[in-house]
Amino acid sequence: MHKYSNEFLKAIPKTDLHVHLDGSLRLNTLIELAKAKSIPLPAYTEDGLREKVFRKSYKSLDEYLEGFTYTCSVMQDAESLERIAYELAIDSFSEGVRYIEVRFAPQLHMSREMSFEDVMHSVDIGLKKARTEINNKIMGHEPLFEFGIIVCAMRFCNMHFSKFYNDFFQIHKYSSEKEIIRQLSNELAIAAVQLKNNSIVQIVGFDLAGSEDGFPADNHRSSYDYVHENFMMKTVHAGEAYGAESIFQAITKLHADRIGHGLFLFEKDKIFSPDIKDKDKYISDLSNYIAEKRITLEVCLTSNLQTVPEIKSIKEHPIGKMLENKISVSLCTDNRLVSNTTVTDEIILALENFDISPDQLKDMIVYGFKRSFFYKPYHSKREYVRSMIDYYEMLEKKYLLKKS
């Protein structure tokens, strides 16, 4: 057992740098919106949906992803998007999260009635509404709540993913699937940069989500080149199905500032290229590079256990090895609803199963703020990070973890 009280772990200022909007709804909101829109659900009670869809454990990634069919179906209008974004911010702050970077794929919610701008404005309005309410209640030297929005391109999609995808695939019916996906990614990159530069919507980063298996990140090189050339921060889901090679590609081809998951960084069996003769050296060189460059890994313990059946126990998760190698790690939820977790839960899970020193815990917390894609100028970010460190250290003294 760890030596921290749950009250301390809930109180400390935290980040959630990897949280999907469409995986983090309140269950009662999903039910209410589905009823209002006459959208069929497998059950219309929270207990029923926990039993049939949003379980504590899943047999496969496909089973894990089933829930997104239902959540996305109620997220096709401005009011619902605004409400869900607002509630996510409120729920996050209620457990001590002071900064969130909400990510989602706008093209999953677009249609002839809902443009990219409409979708992004709706989410932004909800998050700003929550921020205003939260910060108006904050007293004294307590640090403020902030947020950023990360737009996700998809490694794979087809015409059945959304109304927008259906139209796009039909218009480009003579192009290959791979080429259409590349065009969709490029379109999203251009739109995101333009809206970010207008400084209306708080877009802070670009992401690539979806299955790695058969859909290499290299297909999205042009979109990442574009956002990179326009000074946008970048993260990439990598190392979930493949290992070090996928992470290497995300860093070298897509200019990744952070890596989503990085689960199989140390797995030799996940290196498939015949050109890599010395796999141990390749992994060592890559992990050293990641550590040296402070490329933060967005680690989602519960989600990894649920989506990767080959990990039989939390003890097998590589977070311990990441920390041994001095890699910058930030604990995240991935999907608060689908994984039935919170940031505090993720921290407790890590502390109960790995030998994490007080300094390592503090580093993980601080890395979340330091490696965030904060929307304000760097000097403002430094002040914001400092406020979190000061507050953390004050709580250490309050909970008698450090002498005055």
Side-chain angles (χ1 to χ4, degrees), residues 18 28 36 55 131 155 210 215 238 242-244 262 268 273 276 289 293 340 355 380 382-383 386 400:
H18 190 127
N28 65 327
R55 305 177 181 91
R131 179 178 64 187
R155 284 180 184 264
F215 306 101
Y242 287 81
K268 289 193 290 184
S273 172
I276 300 174
Y289 183 86
K293 292 293 185 181
N340 191 24
D355 185 16
S380 297
R382 284 177 61 91
E383 292 173 3
R386 185 70 253 174
L400 304 177

Side-chain angles (χ1 to χ4, degrees), residues 242-383:
Y242 287 81
E245 292 168 281
S246 176
I247 298 168
F248 177 83
Q249 188 178 78
I251 294 169
T252 58
K253 306 297 185 185
L254 304 190
H255 323 284
D257 301 292
R258 297 198 314 245
I259 295 294
H261 299 293
L263 181 63
F264 291 122
L265 169 61
F266 301 105
E267 290 294 321
K268 289 193 290 184
D269 292 345
K270 295 291 184 180
I271 295 176
F272 303 107
S273 172
D275 296 330
I276 300 174
K277 307 300 183 185
D278 189 339
K279 294 182 179 181
D280 288 316
K281 185 177 187 303
Y282 185 85
I283 289 171
S284 176
D285 287 347
L286 178 59
S287 59
N288 282 330
Y289 183 86
I290 290 170
E292 177 71 32
K293 292 293 185 181
R294 313 316 290 151
I295 297 171
T296 295
L297 303 186
E298 306 155 356
V299 173
C300 310
L301 296 172
T302 300
S303 170
N304 291 159
L305 286 173
Q306 291 170 326
T307 60
V308 184
E310 60 199 272
I311 301 179
K312 304 300 182 185
S313 162
I314 183 65
K315 301 284 189 183
E316 297 175 17
H317 195 283
I319 185 173
K321 204 164 186 179
M322 293 171 182
L323 295 174
E324 286 174 19
N325 283 267
K326 307 301 181 185
I327 289 173
S328 170
V329 167
S330 181
L331 291 169
C332 311
T333 59
D334 203 6
N335 300 286
R336 292 174 68 95
L337 167 60
V338 184
S339 286
N340 191 24
T341 192
T342 66
V343 178
T344 306
D345 290 338
E346 296 299 298
I347 293 171
I348 292 171
L349 187 61
L351 291 172
E352 288 181 342
N353 291 280
F354 298 93
D355 185 16
I356 297 174
S357 70
D359 285 344
Q360 285 176 316
L361 173 62
K362 185 176 179 181
D363 282 346
M364 282 195 288
I365 297 298
V366 173
Y367 285 149
F369 293 102
K370 283 187 173 181
R371 299 297 294 153
S372 69
F373 300 158
F374 198 66
Y375 68 100
K376 290 183 179 179
Y378 182 64
H379 65 85
S380 297
K381 178 180 178 179
R382 284 177 61 91
E383 292 173 3

